[in-house]
Amino acid sequence: MNTPRNPQDSTQGHTQPGYIPPTGQPSYSQQDNLQGYGPRGASDDQTWAMLSYILALVASIIAPLVIYLVKMNESRYVRFHAAQALNMGITAFIESIAIFIVGILLAVATHGFGILLMLLAFLALGIAHLVYLILAAVRAYQGQPFRVPTIICFRMVR
């Protein structure tokens, strides 16, 4: 007969229907749950990666930071996309401060014309940020790597 006497002697013993592991040894899924890494599919990683971009629209830095901290040791894919969404939020904040300072200085120097330039720069930054968040979210959900250009996303968190 080809049936092994002890299911531990062969790897086929673990794949047979109705196989129950010995009581002294936890099964594969119990070991994973003890370590905090439950079974998950690729679609779960893609969903979390997409959520890191979509939730950045609502909570610019907080949502990607939470996803990054929770999933950083579980999935390199989610970590990459959450770090990129976090970097986009931090970069937008830094660029907004720079636009505000330059706009105020120009407004003082040009007797108010700098405010119009500041509003146009904020509008351009907002549109570019929104477009790249949407593009990155779509690519993340499709499972494709996507790097946002450095001008929109300084790579501070890896």
Side-chain angles (χ1 to χ4, degrees):
M1 288 195 138
N2 292 343
T3 307
R5 288 186 231 170
N6 186 358
Q8 293 176 353
D9 292 342
S10 171
T11 57
Q12 294 175 355
H14 293 287
T15 59
Q16 292 177 352
Y19 171 73
I20 299 173
T23 56
Q25 182 179 19
S27 69
Y28 179 74
S29 62
Q30 289 173 346
Q31 288 175 353
D32 282 347
N33 290 335
L34 290 175
Q35 295 175 0
Y37 298 102
R40 64 186 193 284
S43 64
D44 187 44
D45 287 348
Q46 292 168 351
T47 302
W48 279 108
M50 178 195 61
L51 282 175
S52 65
Y53 294 111
I54 302 251
L55 294 176
L57 293 170
V58 179
S60 67
I61 296 175
I62 303 300
L65 177 64
V66 169
I67 292 173
Y68 179 80
L69 292 175
V70 169
K71 296 286 188 176
M72 68 186 281
N73 292 328
E74 292 180 24
S75 169
R76 292 181 64 194
Y77 184 75
V78 175
R79 178 182 177 162
F80 168 77
H81 286 287
Q84 188 164 250
L86 181 61
N87 287 335
M88 286 177 69
I90 294 170
T91 303
F93 181 73
I94 291 170
E95 289 173 344
S96 297
I97 290 173
I99 289 171
F100 181 75
I101 291 171
V102 170
I104 294 298
L105 292 175
L106 281 175
V108 169
T110 61
H111 302 290
F113 183 68
I115 291 179
L116 179 62
L117 294 176
M118 180 174 61
L119 290 176
L120 290 174
F122 274 128
L123 183 65
L125 175 66
I127 290 172
H129 190 73
L130 180 66
V131 166
Y132 280 108
L133 275 175
I134 292 171
L135 284 174
V138 168
R139 293 279 177 89
Y141 191 69
Q142 292 173 346
Q144 299 173 356
F146 181 74
R147 280 224 183 254
V148 177
T150 305
I151 193 71
I152 301 293
C153 179
F154 302 145
R155 285 166 183 76
M156 296 171 272
V157 178
R158 296 182 193 264

